[in-house]
Amino acid sequence: MEIITDLMFDCLAILLYSVVGVVLMALGFVLVDLVTPGNLRKQVWREHNRNGAILLASNMVSLGMIVAAAIYVSEGNLVVGLASSFMYGIIGLIVMGLSFVLLDVMTPGKLGKILITQENHPAVWVSASVHFAVGLIIVAGLS
C-alpha cells in the first residue's frame, strides 16, 4: 500500500511542478512578446520568423533549466520545490528582461525590432545566449 501512496504523491508532485513550469513559460512568452514589437504569436507561427522563434526558445529552455534545478535541490520537499521553482523562475524572467534591455542599450538600433525581422540576424544568437547564460547562472546559484 505504501508503494501506491508514494506513486500517487509522486504523480501529484509531477503535475504540480508541470503547472508551475507551464505558468512560468506562459509568463516568459508574455515577456518576450513585450520586448519585441508586434504580435509574437503571429511572428513565429504565421510568419515563421526564425529570429523570434530562437529568442522565445532560449527563454523557454532557460526557464526549464531553472525549474528543473529548483526541483532537484528541493530534495523531495514538495512545498519547498514548488515555491523555489516559482520564485527562481520569476527571478530568471526579471533578469532575462533586464539583460535584454541592457543589451539593447549597448548595441546599435532597437534590438526588439531587429529580432523580429524576417532576415536572419546574428543579434538573435547573442540575445538567446544571454537568456541561456542567465538560466545557467541561476542554476549554478541553486547548487
Side-chain angles (χ1 to χ4, degrees), residues 15-79:
L15 179 63
L16 293 173
Y17 282 126
S18 297
V19 168
V20 169
V22 169
V23 166
L24 287 168
M25 286 189 285
L27 292 172
F29 184 93
V30 170
L31 174 71
V32 175
D33 195 24
L34 286 174
V35 299
T36 55
N39 183 310
L40 185 62
R41 283 187 1 212
K42 181 180 172 193
Q43 288 289 327
V44 173
W45 280 272
R46 289 192 187 143
E47 297 179 15
H48 303 163
N49 184 307
R50 286 187 181 107
N51 293 333
I54 291 167
L55 183 64
L56 182 59
S58 68
N59 185 284
M60 299 295 119
V61 169
S62 296
L63 285 169
M65 290 184 323
I66 293 167
V67 171
I71 293 167
Y72 182 76
V73 300
S74 69
E75 298 178 354
N77 186 324
L78 181 60
V79 174

Side-chain angles (χ1 to χ4, degrees), residues 5-19 78 82:
T5 304
D6 289 346
L7 179 62
M8 295 304 289
F9 178 80
D10 290 346
C11 288
L12 176 63
I14 290 168
L15 179 63
L16 293 173
Y17 282 126
S18 297
V19 168
L78 181 60
L82 289 170

Side-chain angles (χ1 to χ4, degrees), residues 7 35 39 61 73 78 87 96-97 99 110 116 121 127 131:
L7 179 62
V35 299
N39 183 310
V61 169
V73 300
L78 181 60
M87 292 308 298
M96 281 184 244
S99 66
K110 292 299 294 170
I116 56 105
H121 200 288
S127 187
H131 281 203

